[in-house]
Short mmCIF file of all heavy atoms in Angstrom, two decimals:
data_model
loop_
_atom_site.label_atom_id
_atom_site.label_comp_id
_atom_site.label_asym_id
_atom_site.label_seq_id
_atom_site.Cartn_x
_atom_site.Cartn_y
_atom_site.Cartn_z
N ASP Z 1 96.23 159.12 157.59
CA ASP Z 1 94.82 158.93 157.28
C ASP Z 1 94.20 160.28 156.93
O ASP Z 1 94.60 161.31 157.45
CB ASP Z 1 94.08 158.33 158.46
CG ASP Z 1 94.44 156.88 158.67
OD1 ASP Z 1 94.96 156.26 157.72
OD2 ASP Z 1 94.19 156.36 159.75
N TRP Z 2 93.22 160.23 156.10
CA TRP Z 2 92.54 161.43 155.64
C TRP Z 2 91.09 161.31 156.03
O TRP Z 2 90.46 160.28 155.81
CB TRP Z 2 92.68 161.52 154.13
CG TRP Z 2 92.25 162.79 153.53
CD1 TRP Z 2 93.03 163.88 153.28
CD2 TRP Z 2 90.94 163.13 153.09
NE1 TRP Z 2 92.29 164.87 152.71
CE2 TRP Z 2 90.99 164.43 152.58
CE3 TRP Z 2 89.73 162.49 153.07
CZ2 TRP Z 2 89.90 165.09 152.07
CZ3 TRP Z 2 88.63 163.14 152.56
CH2 TRP Z 2 88.72 164.42 152.07
N SER Z 3 90.52 162.35 156.62
CA SER Z 3 89.11 162.30 156.98
C SER Z 3 88.43 163.62 156.68
O SER Z 3 89.07 164.66 156.63
CB SER Z 3 88.93 161.96 158.46
OG SER Z 3 89.38 163.03 159.27
N SER Z 4 87.13 163.55 156.47
CA SER Z 4 86.34 164.74 156.18
C SER Z 4 85.00 164.61 156.87
O SER Z 4 84.44 163.54 156.99
CB SER Z 4 86.13 164.86 154.67
OG SER Z 4 85.31 165.97 154.37
N ASP Z 5 84.51 165.75 157.37
CA ASP Z 5 83.18 165.81 157.95
C ASP Z 5 82.34 166.75 157.10
O ASP Z 5 82.79 167.83 156.73
CB ASP Z 5 83.21 166.38 159.38
CG ASP Z 5 83.96 165.50 160.35
OD1 ASP Z 5 83.92 164.27 160.17
OD2 ASP Z 5 84.57 166.03 161.28
N VAL Z 6 81.14 166.34 156.78
CA VAL Z 6 80.18 167.21 156.13
C VAL Z 6 79.11 167.48 157.19
O VAL Z 6 78.41 166.58 157.62
CB VAL Z 6 79.55 166.57 154.88
CG1 VAL Z 6 78.53 167.50 154.25
CG2 VAL Z 6 80.64 166.21 153.87
N CYS Z 7 79.04 168.72 157.65
CA CYS Z 7 78.14 169.08 158.73
C CYS Z 7 76.92 169.81 158.19
O CYS Z 7 77.06 170.75 157.41
CB CYS Z 7 78.85 169.99 159.74
SG CYS Z 7 80.38 169.29 160.39
N SER Z 8 75.75 169.39 158.60
CA SER Z 8 74.50 169.97 158.11
C SER Z 8 73.57 170.23 159.27
O SER Z 8 73.45 169.41 160.17
CB SER Z 8 73.86 168.99 157.12
OG SER Z 8 72.61 169.44 156.71
N SER Z 9 72.88 171.38 159.25
CA SER Z 9 72.09 171.78 160.41
C SER Z 9 70.68 171.25 160.46
O SER Z 9 70.08 171.19 161.51
CB SER Z 9 72.04 173.30 160.52
OG SER Z 9 71.29 173.84 159.46
N ASP Z 10 70.10 170.92 159.33
CA ASP Z 10 68.73 170.42 159.39
C ASP Z 10 68.47 169.44 158.26
O ASP Z 10 69.29 169.27 157.36
CB ASP Z 10 67.72 171.56 159.38
CG ASP Z 10 67.78 172.39 158.11
OD1 ASP Z 10 67.89 171.81 157.02
OD2 ASP Z 10 67.69 173.62 158.20
N LEU Z 11 67.33 168.80 158.33
CA LEU Z 11 67.00 167.77 157.35
C LEU Z 11 66.90 168.33 155.94
O LEU Z 11 67.09 167.62 154.97
CB LEU Z 11 65.71 167.05 157.74
CG LEU Z 11 65.79 166.23 159.02
CD1 LEU Z 11 64.43 165.62 159.35
CD2 LEU Z 11 66.84 165.14 158.90
N GLY Z 12 66.61 169.61 155.81
CA GLY Z 12 66.55 170.23 154.50
C GLY Z 12 67.89 170.23 153.78
O GLY Z 12 67.95 170.33 152.56
N TYR Z 13 68.96 170.12 154.53
CA TYR Z 13 70.31 170.12 153.96
C TYR Z 13 70.85 168.70 153.78
O TYR Z 13 71.94 168.52 153.25
CB TYR Z 13 71.29 170.89 154.85
CG TYR Z 13 71.03 172.36 154.99
CD1 TYR Z 13 71.77 173.11 155.89
CD2 TYR Z 13 70.07 173.03 154.25
CE1 TYR Z 13 71.57 174.47 156.04
CE2 TYR Z 13 69.86 174.39 154.40
CZ TYR Z 13 70.61 175.10 155.30
OH TYR Z 13 70.41 176.45 155.45
N GLU Z 14 70.14 167.71 154.26
CA GLU Z 14 70.67 166.34 154.25
C GLU Z 14 71.01 165.87 152.83
O GLU Z 14 72.04 165.23 152.62
CB GLU Z 14 69.68 165.37 154.90
CG GLU Z 14 70.23 163.97 155.00
CD GLU Z 14 69.29 163.01 155.71
OE1 GLU Z 14 68.21 163.42 156.17
OE2 GLU Z 14 69.64 161.82 155.77
N GLY Z 15 70.16 166.17 151.86
CA GLY Z 15 70.43 165.77 150.48
C GLY Z 15 71.72 166.37 149.96
O GLY Z 15 72.53 165.69 149.33
N ARG Z 16 71.92 167.65 150.25
CA ARG Z 16 73.17 168.32 149.83
C ARG Z 16 74.38 167.69 150.52
O ARG Z 16 75.42 167.51 149.92
CB ARG Z 16 73.11 169.81 150.17
CG ARG Z 16 72.05 170.56 149.46
CD ARG Z 16 72.57 171.08 148.14
NE ARG Z 16 71.59 171.93 147.53
CZ ARG Z 16 71.87 173.02 146.87
NH1 ARG Z 16 73.11 173.41 146.73
NH2 ARG Z 16 70.93 173.73 146.31
N ALA Z 17 74.21 167.38 151.79
CA ALA Z 17 75.31 166.77 152.55
C ALA Z 17 75.66 165.40 151.97
O ALA Z 17 76.84 165.07 151.81
CB ALA Z 17 74.93 166.65 154.02
N ARG Z 18 74.67 164.62 151.63
CA ARG Z 18 74.92 163.29 151.05
C ARG Z 18 75.58 163.40 149.68
O ARG Z 18 76.46 162.61 149.34
CB ARG Z 18 73.63 162.48 150.98
CG ARG Z 18 73.13 162.09 152.35
CD ARG Z 18 72.17 160.92 152.31
NE ARG Z 18 71.70 160.62 153.65
CZ ARG Z 18 72.39 159.95 154.58
NH1 ARG Z 18 73.59 159.53 154.30
NH2 ARG Z 18 71.87 159.72 155.76
N GLU Z 19 75.17 164.40 148.88
CA GLU Z 19 75.81 164.62 147.57
C GLU Z 19 77.28 164.96 147.75
O GLU Z 19 78.14 164.44 147.03
CB GLU Z 19 75.11 165.76 146.82
CG GLU Z 19 73.75 165.40 146.29
CD GLU Z 19 73.04 166.60 145.68
OE1 GLU Z 19 73.70 167.61 145.37
OE2 GLU Z 19 71.81 166.52 145.51
N ALA Z 20 77.58 165.83 148.71
CA ALA Z 20 78.97 166.20 148.98
C ALA Z 20 79.76 164.99 149.46
O ALA Z 20 80.90 164.77 149.04
CB ALA Z 20 79.03 167.32 150.01
N GLN Z 21 79.15 164.18 150.33
CA GLN Z 21 79.80 162.98 150.84
C GLN Z 21 80.16 162.04 149.68
O GLN Z 21 81.29 161.55 149.61
CB GLN Z 21 78.86 162.27 151.82
CG GLN Z 21 79.45 160.99 152.40
CD GLN Z 21 78.44 160.23 153.24
OE1 GLN Z 21 77.25 160.18 152.92
NE2 GLN Z 21 78.91 159.66 154.33
N LYS Z 22 79.23 161.82 148.78
CA LYS Z 22 79.48 160.93 147.64
C LYS Z 22 80.58 161.47 146.74
O LYS Z 22 81.43 160.72 146.27
CB LYS Z 22 78.20 160.71 146.84
CG LYS Z 22 77.20 159.83 147.53
CD LYS Z 22 75.93 159.69 146.71
CE LYS Z 22 74.87 158.92 147.45
NZ LYS Z 22 73.61 158.86 146.71
N ALA Z 23 80.57 162.78 146.49
CA ALA Z 23 81.59 163.38 145.62
C ALA Z 23 82.97 163.24 146.23
O ALA Z 23 83.94 162.93 145.54
CB ALA Z 23 81.26 164.85 145.36
N ILE Z 24 83.06 163.46 147.55
CA ILE Z 24 84.35 163.34 148.23
C ILE Z 24 84.83 161.89 148.20
O ILE Z 24 86.00 161.62 147.91
CB ILE Z 24 84.26 163.87 149.68
CG1 ILE Z 24 84.03 165.39 149.66
CG2 ILE Z 24 85.52 163.52 150.47
CD1 ILE Z 24 83.64 165.98 151.00
N GLN Z 25 83.93 160.96 148.47
CA GLN Z 25 84.31 159.55 148.47
C GLN Z 25 84.72 159.07 147.08
O GLN Z 25 85.59 158.23 146.94
CB GLN Z 25 83.19 158.69 149.03
CG GLN Z 25 83.04 158.86 150.53
CD GLN Z 25 81.86 158.11 151.10
OE1 GLN Z 25 80.81 158.02 150.49
NE2 GLN Z 25 82.03 157.61 152.32
N LYS Z 26 84.11 159.63 146.05
CA LYS Z 26 84.48 159.27 144.68
C LYS Z 26 85.88 159.79 144.36
O LYS Z 26 86.69 159.10 143.75
CB LYS Z 26 83.46 159.83 143.69
CG LYS Z 26 83.71 159.40 142.27
CD LYS Z 26 82.61 159.89 141.34
CE LYS Z 26 82.89 159.43 139.92
NZ LYS Z 26 81.85 159.88 138.99
N ALA Z 27 86.17 161.02 144.79
CA ALA Z 27 87.48 161.62 144.52
C ALA Z 27 88.58 160.99 145.37
O ALA Z 27 89.72 160.88 144.93
CB ALA Z 27 87.43 163.12 144.78
N LYS Z 28 88.25 160.61 146.60
CA LYS Z 28 89.22 160.02 147.53
C LYS Z 28 88.60 158.75 148.12
O LYS Z 28 88.06 158.77 149.23
CB LYS Z 28 89.55 161.00 148.65
CG LYS Z 28 90.21 162.27 148.23
CD LYS Z 28 91.69 162.10 148.27
CE LYS Z 28 92.34 163.46 147.99
NZ LYS Z 28 93.75 163.41 148.16
N PRO Z 29 88.64 157.63 147.40
CA PRO Z 29 87.98 156.40 147.85
C PRO Z 29 88.37 155.94 149.26
O PRO Z 29 87.55 155.33 149.96
CB PRO Z 29 88.37 155.37 146.80
CG PRO Z 29 88.68 156.17 145.59
CD PRO Z 29 89.27 157.46 146.09
N ALA Z 30 89.57 156.22 149.69
CA ALA Z 30 90.01 155.78 151.01
C ALA Z 30 89.60 156.74 152.11
O ALA Z 30 89.80 156.46 153.29
CB ALA Z 30 91.52 155.60 151.02
N ALA Z 31 89.00 157.86 151.75
CA ALA Z 31 88.62 158.87 152.74
C ALA Z 31 87.51 158.38 153.65
O ALA Z 31 86.62 157.65 153.21
CB ALA Z 31 88.17 160.14 152.04
N GLN Z 32 87.58 158.78 154.88
CA GLN Z 32 86.51 158.54 155.83
C GLN Z 32 85.68 159.81 155.87
O GLN Z 32 86.17 160.86 156.28
CB GLN Z 32 87.07 158.23 157.21
CG GLN Z 32 87.88 156.95 157.25
CD GLN Z 32 88.47 156.71 158.63
OE1 GLN Z 32 88.14 157.38 159.59
NE2 GLN Z 32 89.36 155.74 158.70
N VAL Z 33 84.43 159.73 155.41
CA VAL Z 33 83.57 160.91 155.35
C VAL Z 33 82.37 160.68 156.26
O VAL Z 33 81.62 159.72 156.07
CB VAL Z 33 83.09 161.19 153.90
CG1 VAL Z 33 82.25 162.45 153.86
CG2 VAL Z 33 84.27 161.30 152.95
N ALA Z 34 82.20 161.56 157.24
CA ALA Z 34 81.10 161.43 158.19
C ALA Z 34 80.12 162.58 158.02
O ALA Z 34 80.53 163.72 157.81
CB ALA Z 34 81.66 161.45 159.62
N LEU Z 35 78.84 162.26 158.09
CA LEU Z 35 77.81 163.30 158.11
C LEU Z 35 77.49 163.58 159.57
O LEU Z 35 77.28 162.66 160.35
CB LEU Z 35 76.55 162.83 157.39
CG LEU Z 35 76.68 162.52 155.91
CD1 LEU Z 35 75.33 162.11 155.34
CD2 LEU Z 35 77.22 163.71 155.14
N LYS Z 36 77.47 164.86 159.93
CA LYS Z 36 77.18 165.24 161.31
C LYS Z 36 76.09 166.30 161.33
O LYS Z 36 76.17 167.28 160.60
CB LYS Z 36 78.44 165.79 161.99
CG LYS Z 36 79.53 164.76 162.13
CD LYS Z 36 80.69 165.28 162.92
CE LYS Z 36 81.74 164.20 163.09
NZ LYS Z 36 82.87 164.67 163.88
N LYS Z 37 75.10 166.08 162.17
CA LYS Z 37 74.02 167.06 162.31
C LYS Z 37 74.47 168.15 163.29
O LYS Z 37 74.99 167.86 164.37
CB LYS Z 37 72.75 166.38 162.82
CG LYS Z 37 71.58 167.30 162.86
CD LYS Z 37 70.32 166.54 163.19
CE LYS Z 37 69.21 167.47 163.54
NZ LYS Z 37 68.37 167.92 162.54
N THR Z 38 74.29 169.41 162.86
CA THR Z 38 74.65 170.55 163.69
C THR Z 38 73.45 171.48 163.79
O THR Z 38 72.37 171.15 163.33
CB THR Z 38 75.85 171.30 163.07
OG1 THR Z 38 75.49 171.74 161.75
CG2 THR Z 38 77.09 170.41 162.98
N GLY Z 39 73.63 172.64 164.32
CA GLY Z 39 72.53 173.60 164.45
C GLY Z 39 72.91 174.97 163.91
O GLY Z 39 74.06 175.24 163.59
N GLY Z 40 71.91 175.81 163.72
CA GLY Z 40 72.17 177.20 163.37
C GLY Z 40 72.36 177.51 161.90
O GLY Z 40 73.06 178.45 161.56
N GLY Z 41 71.78 176.73 161.01
CA GLY Z 41 71.91 177.04 159.59
C GLY Z 41 73.27 176.72 159.01
O GLY Z 41 73.69 177.32 158.03
N VAL Z 42 73.97 175.78 159.61
CA VAL Z 42 75.34 175.45 159.22
C VAL Z 42 75.37 174.37 158.14
O VAL Z 42 74.63 173.41 158.19
CB VAL Z 42 76.13 174.96 160.46
CG1 VAL Z 42 77.50 174.44 160.08
CG2 VAL Z 42 76.25 176.08 161.46
N PHE Z 43 76.23 174.58 157.16
CA PHE Z 43 76.59 173.54 156.20
C PHE Z 43 78.08 173.72 155.99
O PHE Z 43 78.52 174.71 155.39
CB PHE Z 43 75.85 173.69 154.87
CG PHE Z 43 76.16 172.58 153.89
CD1 PHE Z 43 75.36 171.45 153.83
CD2 PHE Z 43 77.27 172.65 153.06
CE1 PHE Z 43 75.64 170.42 152.94
CE2 PHE Z 43 77.55 171.62 152.18
CZ PHE Z 43 76.75 170.51 152.12
N GLU Z 44 78.88 172.83 156.55
CA GLU Z 44 80.32 172.96 156.51
C GLU Z 44 80.97 171.67 156.04
O GLU Z 44 80.43 170.59 156.23
CB GLU Z 44 80.88 173.28 157.90
CG GLU Z 44 80.41 174.57 158.47
CD GLU Z 44 80.93 174.81 159.88
OE1 GLU Z 44 81.26 173.83 160.59
OE2 GLU Z 44 81.00 175.99 160.27
N ILE Z 45 82.14 171.83 155.45
CA ILE Z 45 82.98 170.68 155.12
C ILE Z 45 84.29 170.91 155.85
O ILE Z 45 84.94 171.95 155.70
CB ILE Z 45 83.22 170.56 153.61
CG1 ILE Z 45 81.88 170.37 152.87
CG2 ILE Z 45 84.19 169.40 153.32
CD1 ILE Z 45 82.01 170.36 151.36
N LYS Z 46 84.65 169.94 156.68
CA LYS Z 46 85.91 170.00 157.42
C LYS Z 46 86.80 168.87 156.93
O LYS Z 46 86.33 167.75 156.74
CB LYS Z 46 85.67 169.86 158.92
CG LYS Z 46 84.88 171.02 159.50
CD LYS Z 46 84.66 170.85 160.98
CE LYS Z 46 83.86 172.01 161.53
NZ LYS Z 46 83.61 171.85 162.97
N VAL Z 47 88.06 169.17 156.75
CA VAL Z 47 89.05 168.18 156.32
C VAL Z 47 90.11 168.09 157.41
O VAL Z 47 90.73 169.10 157.76
CB VAL Z 47 89.67 168.56 154.97
CG1 VAL Z 47 90.73 167.55 154.57
CG2 VAL Z 47 88.60 168.68 153.89
N ASP Z 48 90.28 166.89 157.93
CA ASP Z 48 91.21 166.66 159.04
C ASP Z 48 91.00 167.66 160.17
O ASP Z 48 91.94 168.21 160.73
CB ASP Z 48 92.66 166.70 158.54
CG ASP Z 48 92.99 165.53 157.64
OD1 ASP Z 48 92.36 164.47 157.79
OD2 ASP Z 48 93.88 165.67 156.78
N GLY Z 49 89.72 167.94 160.46
CA GLY Z 49 89.37 168.82 161.57
C GLY Z 49 89.41 170.31 161.25
O GLY Z 49 89.03 171.13 162.08
N LYS Z 50 89.86 170.68 160.06
CA LYS Z 50 89.98 172.09 159.70
C LYS Z 50 88.86 172.47 158.72
O LYS Z 50 88.57 171.73 157.79
CB LYS Z 50 91.34 172.38 159.06
CG LYS Z 50 92.49 172.16 160.00
CD LYS Z 50 93.81 172.45 159.32
CE LYS Z 50 94.94 172.13 160.28
NZ LYS Z 50 96.24 172.25 159.64
N LEU Z 51 88.27 173.62 158.94
CA LEU Z 51 87.19 174.10 158.09
C LEU Z 51 87.67 174.34 156.67
O LEU Z 51 88.61 175.09 156.43
CB LEU Z 51 86.59 175.39 158.67
CG LEU Z 51 85.35 175.93 157.99
CD1 LEU Z 51 84.20 174.94 158.09
CD2 LEU Z 51 84.96 177.25 158.61
N ALA Z 52 87.05 173.65 155.70
CA ALA Z 52 87.43 173.78 154.29
C ALA Z 52 86.38 174.54 153.49
O ALA Z 52 86.68 175.15 152.47
CB ALA Z 52 87.66 172.41 153.66
N TYR Z 53 85.12 174.51 153.96
CA TYR Z 53 84.05 175.26 153.30
C TYR Z 53 82.96 175.55 154.33
O TYR Z 53 82.62 174.69 155.13
CB TYR Z 53 83.43 174.48 152.13
CG TYR Z 53 82.44 175.35 151.38
CD1 TYR Z 53 82.87 176.16 150.34
CD2 TYR Z 53 81.11 175.43 151.77
CE1 TYR Z 53 81.98 177.01 149.69
CE2 TYR Z 53 80.23 176.28 151.12
CZ TYR Z 53 80.67 177.06 150.10
OH TYR Z 53 79.80 177.92 149.46
N SER Z 54 82.42 176.76 154.28
CA SER Z 54 81.35 177.16 155.19
C SER Z 54 80.27 177.90 154.43
O SER Z 54 80.53 178.96 153.84
CB SER Z 54 81.91 178.06 156.29
OG SER Z 54 80.85 178.64 157.04
N LYS Z 55 79.05 177.36 154.46
CA LYS Z 55 77.90 178.05 153.86
C LYS Z 55 77.63 179.35 154.60
O LYS Z 55 77.25 180.35 154.00
CB LYS Z 55 76.67 177.15 153.88
CG LYS Z 55 75.41 177.81 153.34
CD LYS Z 55 74.23 176.88 153.53
CE LYS Z 55 72.93 177.61 153.34
NZ LYS Z 55 72.58 178.48 154.48
N LYS Z 56 77.84 179.33 155.90
CA LYS Z 56 77.59 180.53 156.71
C LYS Z 56 78.51 181.67 156.28
O LYS Z 56 78.10 182.82 156.21
CB LYS Z 56 77.77 180.21 158.19
CG LYS Z 56 77.14 181.21 159.10
CD LYS Z 56 77.05 180.65 160.50
CE LYS Z 56 75.99 181.43 161.25
NZ LYS Z 56 75.57 180.78 162.46
N ALA Z 57 79.75 181.34 155.96
CA ALA Z 57 80.72 182.36 155.53
C ALA Z 57 80.46 182.85 154.11
O ALA Z 57 80.64 184.03 153.82
CB ALA Z 57 82.14 181.82 155.64
N THR Z 58 80.01 181.95 153.23
CA THR Z 58 79.83 182.32 151.83
C THR Z 58 78.40 182.73 151.50
O THR Z 58 78.16 183.36 150.48
CB THR Z 58 80.20 181.15 150.89
OG1 THR Z 58 79.31 180.05 151.14
CG2 THR Z 58 81.64 180.71 151.08
N GLY Z 59 77.45 182.30 152.34
CA GLY Z 59 76.04 182.61 152.09
C GLY Z 59 75.38 181.70 151.08
O GLY Z 59 74.27 181.95 150.63
N ARG Z 60 76.06 180.60 150.72
CA ARG Z 60 75.51 179.69 149.72
C ARG Z 60 76.11 178.29 149.88
O ARG Z 60 77.14 178.13 150.54
CB ARG Z 60 75.76 180.20 148.31
CG ARG Z 60 77.23 180.33 147.99
CD ARG Z 60 77.49 180.88 146.60
NE ARG Z 60 78.91 181.06 146.37
CZ ARG Z 60 79.78 180.09 146.14
NH1 ARG Z 60 79.39 178.84 146.11
NH2 ARG Z 60 81.05 180.36 145.94
N PHE Z 61 75.46 177.32 149.24
CA PHE Z 61 75.99 175.97 149.23
C PHE Z 61 77.18 175.91 148.27
O PHE Z 61 77.24 176.68 147.30
CB PHE Z 61 74.93 174.97 148.76
CG PHE Z 61 73.89 174.68 149.79
CD1 PHE Z 61 72.66 175.30 149.73
CD2 PHE Z 61 74.15 173.81 150.83
CE1 PHE Z 61 71.69 175.05 150.68
CE2 PHE Z 61 73.19 173.54 151.79
CZ PHE Z 61 71.95 174.16 151.72
N PRO Z 62 78.10 174.98 148.49
CA PRO Z 62 79.24 174.86 147.58
C PRO Z 62 78.83 174.25 146.25
O PRO Z 62 77.90 173.44 146.18
CB PRO Z 62 80.19 173.90 148.32
CG PRO Z 62 79.29 173.06 149.17
CD PRO Z 62 78.17 173.98 149.57
N THR Z 63 79.52 174.65 145.20
CA THR Z 63 79.34 174.00 143.91
C THR Z 63 80.06 172.66 143.96
O THR Z 63 80.86 172.39 144.87
CB THR Z 63 79.95 174.84 142.78
OG1 THR Z 63 81.37 174.91 142.99
CG2 THR Z 63 79.36 176.24 142.73
N ASP Z 64 79.79 171.80 142.98
CA ASP Z 64 80.50 170.52 142.91
C ASP Z 64 82.01 170.76 142.84
O ASP Z 64 82.79 170.05 143.47
CB ASP Z 64 80.04 169.71 141.70
CG ASP Z 64 78.61 169.22 141.85
OD1 ASP Z 64 78.07 169.22 142.97
OD2 ASP Z 64 78.02 168.84 140.82
N LYS Z 65 82.41 171.75 142.08
CA LYS Z 65 83.84 172.08 141.95
C LYS Z 65 84.43 172.47 143.29
O LYS Z 65 85.55 172.07 143.63
CB LYS Z 65 84.00 173.20 140.92
CG LYS Z 65 85.42 173.54 140.60
CD LYS Z 65 85.49 174.60 139.50
CE LYS Z 65 86.92 174.96 139.18
NZ LYS Z 65 87.01 175.97 138.14
N GLU Z 66 83.69 173.25 144.06
CA GLU Z 66 84.19 173.66 145.38
C GLU Z 66 84.27 172.48 146.35
O GLU Z 66 85.20 172.40 147.15
CB GLU Z 66 83.30 174.76 145.96
CG GLU Z 66 83.48 176.08 145.24
CD GLU Z 66 82.42 177.11 145.59
OE1 GLU Z 66 81.25 176.74 145.83
OE2 GLU Z 66 82.78 178.30 145.63
N VAL Z 67 83.31 171.57 146.26
CA VAL Z 67 83.37 170.37 147.11
C VAL Z 67 84.64 169.60 146.80
O VAL Z 67 85.39 169.21 147.69
CB VAL Z 67 82.12 169.47 146.92
CG1 VAL Z 67 82.32 168.13 147.60
CG2 VAL Z 67 80.88 170.16 147.46
N LEU Z 68 84.91 169.39 145.52
CA LEU Z 68 86.11 168.63 145.12
C LEU Z 68 87.39 169.38 145.48
O LEU Z 68 88.40 168.76 145.80
CB LEU Z 68 86.07 168.29 143.64
CG LEU Z 68 84.93 167.34 143.25
CD1 LEU Z 68 84.93 167.09 141.76
CD2 LEU Z 68 85.03 166.02 144.01
N ALA Z 69 87.35 170.71 145.47
CA ALA Z 69 88.53 171.49 145.83
C ALA Z 69 88.89 171.29 147.31
O ALA Z 69 90.06 171.40 147.69
CB ALA Z 69 88.30 172.97 145.55
N THR Z 70 87.90 170.95 148.15
CA THR Z 70 88.19 170.73 149.57
C THR Z 70 89.06 169.50 149.79
O THR Z 70 89.74 169.41 150.81
CB THR Z 70 86.90 170.59 150.41
OG1 THR Z 70 86.21 169.40 150.06
CG2 THR Z 70 86.02 171.81 150.29
N VAL Z 71 89.03 168.57 148.85
CA VAL Z 71 89.82 167.35 149.02
C VAL Z 71 91.13 167.39 148.25
O VAL Z 71 91.88 166.43 148.24
CB VAL Z 71 89.01 166.08 148.63
CG1 VAL Z 71 87.82 165.94 149.53
CG2 VAL Z 71 88.60 166.07 147.19
N GLY Z 72 91.38 168.51 147.61
CA GLY Z 72 92.64 168.74 146.93
C GLY Z 72 92.81 167.91 145.72
O GLY Z 72 93.72 167.46 145.22
#
């Protein structure tokens, strides 16, 4: 099974998180994608529990291409 979490720290990021969720589900229809609220300015994409993208590390939101790269 393949799963992904899109973690977002506040409501201001919710739209971005939903966009990432939709892009991942489109690329991998069988994927289980969960949105999780976190704290501290975090916007992360985790695949099978492993960090695949971090806004905190990069200082920016992922591009559509980067979101799709997380799902291989």
Side-chain angles (χ1 to χ4, degrees):
D1 288 342
W2 190 93
S3 68
S4 177
D5 295 328
V6 179
C7 305
S8 175
S9 68
D10 62 43
L11 293 177
Y13 295 173
E14 185 177 357
R16 297 271 186 142
R18 291 200 182 282
E19 287 174 18
Q21 179 187 37
K22 287 178 186 176
I24 292 168
Q25 288 175 323
K26 185 175 181 180
K28 297 269 187 174
Q32 296 178 10
V33 183
L35 297 181
K36 295 186 177 181
K37 185 173 167 91
T38 59
V42 173
F43 184 93
E44 298 177 335
I45 299 175
K46 295 180 181 179
V47 178
D48 292 333
K50 296 180 184 174
L51 187 62
Y53 187 88
S54 170
K55 177 185 166 286
K56 198 165 200 165
T58 63
R60 61 182 177 74
F61 285 100
T63 64
D64 292 343
K65 185 176 180 180
E66 288 169 325
V67 169
L68 294 179
T70 67
V71 298

